């Protein structure tokens, strides 16, 4: 754990994260590092996940739970950004399964292409593996630099964010139904 913490602190130092910034500011830092824009999209994720990241030709889209406190939203976003910074592999299985159910007459690759998504869709499960622990350490260390926004009502996503969010809705509903059918053991993850 000590080695992991040192690695994360070194990464923050390399990023030259300001002593105090907001979520948009940290997204700009991450975007420069990963060489792609990072877009934030608050939306109700229906209890399936707290946050997730989609990859499109327009960059990374970090979706985070709208119906929670500003501090929790900040933590969720920093967790997702930490996955990007640490270069963790994304798990497209959830999207593939949901799309198979949602668009059974169209193959998954075609459905993803029509929605403008690549097969990079992050949904990481649990905190029992090394990547998740490392992500939590980095997210927590980043939290020391980020000032959460005050609570306010977010407007619904518009433009490309609305398109990606609309495409995610049915997939999230499908996953939620699967979780409910599986019972408490199939609980949500980040």
């Amino acid at each position: 754990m000590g080695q992991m913490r040192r690695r994360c602190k070194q990464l923050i130092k390399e990023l030259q994260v300001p002593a105090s910034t907001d979520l948009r500011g940290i997204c700009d830092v991450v975007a420069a590092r990963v060489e792609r824009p990072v877009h934030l999209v608050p939306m109700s994720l229906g209890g399936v996940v707290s946050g997730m990241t989609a990859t499109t030709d327009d960059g990374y889209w970090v979706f985070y739970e709208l119906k929670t406190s500003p501090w929790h939203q900040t933590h969720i976003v920093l967790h997702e950004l930490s996955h990007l910074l640490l270069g963790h592999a994304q798990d497209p299985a959830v999207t593939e399964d949901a799309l198979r159910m949602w668009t059974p007459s169209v193959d998954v690759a075609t459905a993803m292409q029509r929605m403008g998504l690549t097969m990079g869709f992050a949904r990481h499960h649990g905190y029992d593996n090394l990547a998740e622990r490392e992500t939590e350490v980095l997210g927590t260390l980043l939290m020391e630099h980020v000032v959460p926004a005050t609570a306010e009502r977010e407007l619904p996503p518009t433009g490309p964010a609305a398109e990606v969010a609309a495409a995610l809705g049915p997939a999230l509903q499908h996953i939620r139904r699967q979780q409910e059918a599986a019972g408490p053991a199939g609980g949500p993850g980040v």
Side-chain angles (χ1 to χ4, degrees), residues 8 11-13 15 17-19 21 26 29-30 74 77-79 81-83 85 135-147:
C8 291
L11 178 57
I12 291 172
K13 185 177 177 181
L15 293 170
V17 176
T21 187
I26 199 74
V29 169
V30 173
T74 301
V77 170
L78 293 176
H79 180 96
L81 295 177
S82 294
H83 278 300
L85 288 169
T135 301
E136 280 298 301
V137 169
L138 181 56
T140 300
L141 291 172
L142 285 171
M143 188 77 166
E144 296 173 3
H145 298 269
V146 178
V147 178

Side-chain angles (χ1 to χ4, degrees), residues 3-17:
Q3 183 180 15
M4 187 183 300
R5 188 172 173 81
R6 283 188 296 279
R7 178 179 175 219
C8 291
K9 282 186 172 187
Q10 179 60 37
L11 178 57
I12 291 172
K13 185 177 177 181
E14 290 170 14
L15 293 170
Q16 299 179 346
V17 176

